[in-house]
Amino acid sequence: MIRDVVVSEVGPRDGLQSIRQVMPTAAKLRWIAALAAAGLPEIEVGSFVSLRLLPQMADAAEVVAASVKLPDVDILALAPNLKGAERAFAAGVHRVSMPVSASRLHSQSNINMTPELAVEQVAAVVALRDSLPPGHLPGRGRPGVEVGISTAFGCTLEGPVAEDWVIALAGMLAKAGADTINLSDTTGMGNPAQVRRLFRRLRSEVGVKAGGAHLHNTRGQGLANVVAALDVGVTTFDSSQGGIGGCPYAPGATGNIVTEDLVFLLEAMGLRTGIDIDKLIAARDRVREGVPGESMYGHVPDAGLPRGFVAATVKAAP
Ligand code: ZN
């Protein structure tokens, strides 16, 4: 499967952790399987945080252990610290994603640590990963460690976040051994000019460790920001089915960009995602079953595909 762009589904983590309803484990697994069957190459399925803080994520180990058996999909989980990463590695996760906030106030309220201490946690997790046996994941080796710099484009608690600091933090994370460093617009404050500037600077600071964009659509700028990131060579985007999601510690920040609309945008632009849009839209039923009555968004699911539309992935198929 040739993919020009990797769409990384974060709904089962970012989406579910920000709503009150708890999706039952069996329903999560049906949803994740439907997403994988639609061709999503990466799915972030849970978060290894304190059960007291996020009861929605209490079954993370069980969900990871079942999801890694699905074929042709990378299974990610969020781990804010060494303790979380230990649990994630034990469950057999393919990659952990660690949030490190550029905003000091957000960092304190989200993971109860300064950004500098969060960088030390990343170094500790990398050391733990490197100590795992080379055959830890059959056929895959050791798990990956990626970091998302949250509030990279601004913070609801702190306001603007200095770009020089975001880039300096990325440099510290690269030195700490993170495989990939992503930038997150946790609170939906970014604009396309800023997205171009920061991703260009990220690339020149950390080279091949420069990762993808985690964008929220809080102020309707999500897809414009995607196009801006594409312009400067970003090829991985996080999104959530139906746009569910947000950040419970950043008041007013709701809604990842919608996977269905993102995939349509990319495919319409001739960029292959490897995703079957019809199967992706059908997977919304699994969300409705799992968390009945929860709001879902998406212009493409509402309006339907345009008459005569052929996805780039379909055109390229032999
Ligand atoms: Zn998010």
Side-chain angles (χ1 to χ4, degrees):
M1 172 68 69
I2 301 163
R3 291 188 170 90
D4 302 304
V5 174
V6 171
V7 174
S8 189
E9 170 67 41
V10 297
R13 196 279 300 170
D14 205 340
L16 293 185
Q17 78 174 33
S18 65
I19 61 176
R20 223 176 278 272
Q21 280 193 79
V22 177
M23 189 184 276
T25 308
K28 284 186 188 179
L29 295 178
R30 280 195 295 273
W31 181 27
I32 292 162
L35 291 165
L40 265 304
E42 296 187 2
I43 307 174
E44 191 166 300
V45 300
S47 186
F48 287 86
V49 290
S50 136
L51 308 186
R52 190 175 45 81
L53 289 177
L54 283 179
Q56 303 94 319
M57 298 288 123
D59 57 1
E62 198 183 335
V63 172
V64 165
S67 301
V68 293
K69 294 183 186 139
L70 294 166
D72 307 321
V73 57
D74 287 359
I75 299 300
L76 284 78
L78 186 138
N81 51 33
L82 182 61
K83 232 167 104 184
E86 276 168 0
R87 289 166 57 208
F89 291 155
V93 79
H94 297 149
R95 260 185 281 159
V96 291
S97 168
M98 300 187 70
V100 172
S101 194
S103 150
R104 289 185 183 279
L105 288 176
H106 182 263
S107 186
Q108 214 62 50
S109 63
N110 195 28
I111 55 174
N112 198 25
M113 262 186 250
T114 63
E116 288 81 0
L117 281 176
V119 173
E120 284 178 26
Q121 287 292 305
V122 170
V125 169
V126 169
L128 172 65
R129 183 273 306 274
D130 293 345
S131 75
L132 294 171
H136 175 78
L137 299 172
R140 285 176 176 263
R142 297 186 177 101
V145 177
E146 63 178 60
V147 175
I149 300 186
S150 32
T151 63
F153 299 87
C155 172
T156 33
L157 304 170
E158 205 170 285
V161 173
E163 292 182 6
D164 286 349
W165 164 239
V166 174
I167 298 304
L169 188 55
M172 289 158 66
L173 289 163
K175 273 203 194 86
D179 301 327
T180 306
I181 296 142
N182 308 318
L183 297 181
S184 302
D185 187 9
T186 318
T187 57
M189 292 167 77
N191 66 70
Q194 189 186 16
V195 165
R196 270 188 215 104
R197 211 164 48 233
L198 263 178
F199 274 100
R200 258 198 210 112
R201 291 189 64 182
L202 177 70
R203 175 72 49 86
S204 63
E205 183 73 21
V206 304
V208 294
K209 293 192 175 202
H214 176 99
L215 301 167
H216 281 239
N217 199 37
T218 319
R219 291 175 180 79
Q221 311 302 301
L223 293 187
N225 288 337
V226 168
V227 175
L230 285 169
D231 284 347
V232 295
V234 174
T235 56
T236 299
F237 293 92
D238 290 357
S239 60
S240 103
Q241 175 141 59
I244 60 169
C247 177
Y249 303 103
T254 54
N256 291 103
I257 55 171
V258 175
T259 306
E260 297 88 323
D261 291 351
L262 171 66
V263 171
F264 175 73
L265 170 81
L266 296 167
E267 294 283 346
M269 289 174 75
L271 297 167
R272 292 163 294 181
T273 63
I275 294 165
D276 180 323
I277 300 185
D278 293 315
K279 284 188 186 166
L280 173 64
I281 291 173
R284 289 164 75 91
D285 291 344
R286 305 287 86 78
V287 180
R288 289 193 193 96
E289 288 162 10
V291 281
E294 205 60 54
S295 301
M296 277 202 284
Y297 308 92
H299 293 283
V300 173
D302 285 350
L305 291 170
R307 191 185 178 89
F309 177 76
V310 183
T313 293
V314 174
K315 276 185 200 152

